[in-house]
Amino acid sequence: MCNKNKYIVLKKGLNSAAMIFVGVIFCLPFIWMVLTAFKSLGETILIPPKWILDELHWENFAAAWNSGPFLQYIWNSVVTTGCILMIQFLVGVPAAYAYAKCKFRGKNLFFGITMVTMMIPSQLVFLPIYLLMSKWELLNTYAALILPFAGSAFTIFLLRQSFMQIPQEVIDAARIDGASEFQIITRIIIPLAKPAMVTAGLFSFITHWNDYFWPLIMTTNNTVRTLPIGIAKLREVEGGVAWNVLMAGNVIMVIPILILFFIAQRQIIKAFVYASK
């Protein structure tokens, strides 16, 4: 019995040590980014890196903010990401409900095709979409940044897995009471699938808030360009890259993501528990 207890304690200790080690590896780049944002330009090129700062250089954030129309970049990111989220839910919720709770011919085939689209990178299809947007004269508009992402296979999959955990008897009872499909979705399905909704929204927000490739392809001026493009322009300076200013810009960009993650972390855990069933 004593040896068994020692084995259990040792196993827990090793698991804890492994998790701490992995956590440090994942957190180290983020810590380096934040520290670099508060360093002077000379401190950013020191080898080995300086981990304890004598002075915090807040002026790096001012330099990043004043490097261009930063407020316009943020507004464009908010509009683009917000519209993508809204449209994805308008498309994804009914699609996920149909795949989870409705019976129709070819349902599994269509769902399989939907999942296959997750394996197609945007770099593979951007050219025909670019030509289509050019033909419709939508380049350098919000529509070119929003419409290609109106449907999200990941959102549909995650919501479908959550909807499947809702007892069919609840839906049948609502139908017997005269509820329409729209009422079932809005009054029963969505409230019960709140963790999955929050998680799908957060992952979509992170993806499109950080998206650099698509805005770079679809835009050529600052009118509709998003925050990642503005951050990348901080590299375009004479005499080398001011890494402290560049990292200050990245910190500004990542703050909304961190806030949303800490608000929604419990819902994320619940959603993936449902998705794994």
Side-chain angles (χ1 to χ4, degrees):
M1 181 63 70
C2 183
N3 291 334
K4 184 177 181 180
N5 291 337
K6 289 181 179 180
Y7 172 76
I8 293 174
V9 172
L10 179 61
K11 184 179 179 180
K12 290 182 178 180
L14 292 175
N15 288 337
S16 300
M19 288 188 289
I20 293 173
F21 178 73
V22 172
V24 169
I25 291 177
F26 276 93
C27 291
L28 198 58
F30 178 77
I31 295 172
W32 180 86
M33 178 186 70
V34 174
L35 288 176
T36 304
F38 288 99
K39 291 180 179 180
S40 65
L41 180 58
E43 290 175 326
T44 62
I45 58 176
L46 291 177
I47 298 176
K50 189 175 183 179
W51 296 99
I52 300 177
L53 306 183
D54 300 323
E55 183 182 0
L56 300 180
H57 294 269
W58 293 95
E59 65 272 14
N60 295 335
F61 293 89
W65 186 270
N66 296 325
S67 64
F70 230 73
L71 196 60
Q72 182 67 41
Y73 293 141
I74 293 175
W75 172 250
N76 293 338
S77 290
V78 169
V79 171
T80 301
T81 306
C83 290
I84 289 175
L85 287 177
M86 181 179 65
I87 297 174
Q88 283 187 353
F89 279 128
L90 288 175
V91 174
V93 170
Y97 175 74
Y99 285 137
K101 296 299 181 182
C102 298
K103 296 181 180 180
F104 56 91
R105 183 175 297 178
K107 181 174 74 171
N108 293 333
L109 175 63
F110 290 130
F111 181 69
I113 295 173
T114 302
M115 291 298 97
V116 168
T117 61
M118 294 178 62
M119 297 182 288
I120 303 176
S122 59
Q123 289 81 358
L124 190 64
V125 298
F126 86 91
L127 183 57
I129 295 178
Y130 177 86
L131 295 175
L132 184 63
M133 293 296 159
S134 178
K135 183 178 180 180
W136 289 351
E137 298 182 354
L138 293 178
L139 297 179
N140 286 313
T141 66
Y142 288 130
L145 302 178
I146 296 170
L147 292 179
F149 304 101
S152 170
F154 175 77
T155 297
I156 293 173
F157 166 75
L158 192 61
L159 295 182
R160 171 186 176 270
Q161 296 302 107
S162 179
F163 293 172
M164 289 179 66
Q165 305 305 316
I166 299 174
Q168 184 64 37
E169 292 79 8
V170 175
I171 298 174
D172 293 338
R175 288 172 178 163
I176 293 173
D177 290 339
S180 65
E181 297 299 320
F182 179 78
Q183 290 174 324
I184 292 174
I185 292 175
T186 55
R187 298 183 181 181
I188 298 175
I189 297 295
I190 292 179
L192 292 177
K194 182 181 176 181
M197 297 283 290
V198 172
T199 302
L202 181 61
F203 273 81
S204 182
F205 176 86
I206 293 173
T207 299
H208 299 291
W209 182 266
N210 291 330
D211 190 14
Y212 173 81
F213 176 78
W214 205 262
L216 181 66
I217 296 298
M218 295 295 171
T219 63
T220 57
N221 58 62
N222 294 333
T223 306
V224 293
R225 281 194 156 175
T226 55
L227 194 53
I229 304 296
I231 299 298
K233 289 176 71 67
L234 294 175
R235 296 174 59 94
E236 300 174 5
V237 294
E238 296 182 1
V241 180
W243 290 106
N244 50 345
V245 178
L246 180 61
M247 291 302 108
N250 278 293
V251 169
I252 294 173
M253 186 171 68
V254 82
I255 286 175
I257 297 175
L258 292 178
I259 293 173
L260 289 177
F261 175 78
F262 284 117
I263 292 175
Q265 56 181 326
R266 291 186 179 180
Q267 304 294 339
I268 294 173
I269 295 173
K270 291 181 181 179
F272 279 99
V273 168
Y274 285 127
S276 62
K277 293 182 179 181

